[in-house]
Amino acid sequence: MLNQISDLEIEEIELVSKKLRRNVLLMIHNAKSGHPGGSLSCIDILNVLFTKCMKHYPECEKNPDYKNRDRFILSKGHASASLYAVMAHCGYFKEDELLTFRKLGSKLQGHPSSTVLKGIEVSTGSLGQGLSIGCGMALGMRLDNINSKVYVFMGDGEIEEGSVWEAAMNASHNKLNNIIAFVDRNRLQIDGSTEDIKSIGNIKSKFEAFGWNALEINGHNINEIYNAINTAKKSDRPFVIIADTIKGKGVSFMENNANWHGKAPNDDELQLALKELN
């Protein structure tokens, strides 16, 4: 039987997701650059993962159980604003630091950097690399008898990269049941529809053909996200959660609009977006 999440918890998570989306937009607007579309689409998953499912420690190395933490890799590193918003909410750093995003000298660089921000496991941004790195981490943890999980978050445009499928084959061959991947299936990338640019077809059946267990969910349904992660934790194989999401989720004029892949809102657009999220 799956763990249950209460209606009250779901309501609280949804309220936090709205706050996180507001912070993402404020960060990108203040920086005058960033990637709002793909950041807004993954907020709900990151929120549930970090606040309800993942074993992690905002105080980092000060915690005696730090080496036994779960690992998280944001393979679609351009969505860093969403990760920083969630990390600030969890207490990795003060929320007022969010407005340093993409500023010279900031710890909150445009793509996550493990050399400047505690809690970032690996620097990302070059697409297609995260799952391979995750496989290495998962193998290393097995050798060190660390009974924890590696979570890898990918975009659906990203999995057009061949290296992703090499990593998928590697994970299956090595029976890495300690790796859980997400695919943010918002169906848009910087140049338009994923299906028009390079159709990736049935993602679930592709991963299953590589020996993974796979599950498709609504990536904005809190209960489905929570249950999927808990199902994945019990898997005897590598597990992928394919999350059907909306690019620009929560802001009507950004939703399902590829033009908002990598564009900051102006003053008027920000106010319209914040009004909707309030």
Side-chain angles (χ1 to χ4, degrees):
M1 179 178 292
L2 293 176
N3 297 328
Q4 296 298 309
I5 188 167
S6 70
D7 291 342
L8 179 59
E9 286 178 292
I10 290 172
E11 183 178 345
E12 290 173 345
I13 291 167
E14 288 173 342
L15 287 173
V16 170
S17 284
K18 283 191 174 183
K19 182 191 83 168
L20 297 175
R21 287 189 166 94
R22 290 194 295 269
N23 282 343
V24 163
L25 292 172
L26 288 167
M27 294 161 64
I28 293 172
H29 169 264
N30 188 62
K32 295 183 173 56
S33 68
H35 297 80
S39 295
L40 295 175
S41 66
C42 64
I43 281 289
D44 296 314
I45 300 168
L46 297 187
N47 185 9
V48 174
L49 180 63
F50 273 76
T51 64
K52 294 295 179 182
C53 299
M54 192 170 78
K55 181 173 61 177
H56 64 107
Y57 306 104
E59 64 274 27
C60 298
E61 291 95 333
K62 293 180 181 178
N63 191 290
D65 198 43
Y66 180 68
K67 72 174 184 178
N68 296 313
R69 71 196 180 282
D70 292 330
R71 274 69 165 172
F72 176 80
I73 300 170
L74 183 66
S75 191
K76 48 174 279 183
H78 56 278
S80 59
S82 59
L83 178 57
Y84 298 149
V86 171
M87 290 178 70
H89 174 74
C90 290
Y92 282 86
F93 52 87
K94 293 181 179 179
E95 288 197 0
D96 57 12
E97 285 189 56
L98 290 173
L99 292 183
T100 70
F101 177 60
R102 284 182 169 244
K103 301 293 186 181
L104 185 64
S106 173
K107 293 182 292 186
L108 311 183
Q109 297 187 9
H111 293 82
S113 173
S114 60
T115 63
V116 295
L117 181 61
K118 296 293 185 183
I120 300 296
E121 297 288 348
V122 62
S123 301
T124 57
S126 181
L127 295 176
Q129 304 299 310
L131 193 58
S132 295
I133 297 168
C135 285
M137 286 184 175
L139 281 167
M141 288 159 61
R142 177 190 287 172
L143 291 170
D144 290 337
N145 294 314
I146 295 173
N147 186 26
S148 300
K149 301 295 184 184
V150 179
Y151 295 93
V152 180
F153 198 99
M154 300 179 288
D156 55 355
E158 177 181 8
I159 66 172
E160 294 166 1
E161 300 264 6
S163 54
V164 171
W165 300 103
E166 290 184 62
M169 181 168 56
N170 182 41
S172 176
H173 175 77
N174 288 291
K175 299 179 174 59
L176 298 179
N177 67 332
N178 56 345
I179 194 163
I180 299 171
F182 298 87
V183 176
D184 186 5
R185 186 70 166 116
N186 61 39
R187 292 177 168 76
L188 292 172
Q189 57 194 95
I190 190 169
D191 291 323
S193 164
T194 53
E195 304 315 292
D196 290 339
I197 293 163
K198 187 184 288 185
S199 177
I200 49 183
N202 189 320
I203 300 172
K204 182 174 183 288
S205 64
K206 282 184 169 64
F207 271 98
E208 288 173 339
F210 276 83
W212 287 53
N213 286 330
L215 186 63
E216 294 177 320
I217 65 166
N218 177 345
H220 302 303
N221 183 299
I222 303 304
N223 198 52
E224 287 191 30
I225 298 167
Y226 181 79
N227 287 337
I229 295 170
N230 281 290
T231 297
K233 287 180 178 181
K234 301 175 179 69
S235 177
D236 60 349
R237 300 179 180 185
F239 199 103
V240 62
I241 298 168
I242 301 146
D244 187 19
T245 62
I246 298 172
K247 193 149 189 160
K249 172 68 175 175
V251 181
S252 60
F253 58 87
M254 293 185 180
E255 288 189 352
N256 293 316
N257 187 341
N259 291 329
W260 287 101
H261 176 88
K263 181 176 73 169
N266 62 31
D267 293 348
D268 291 339
E269 290 163 340
L270 175 68
Q271 292 309 312
L272 285 172
L274 293 177
K275 184 178 180 180
E276 290 189 22
L277 290 168
N278 284 328

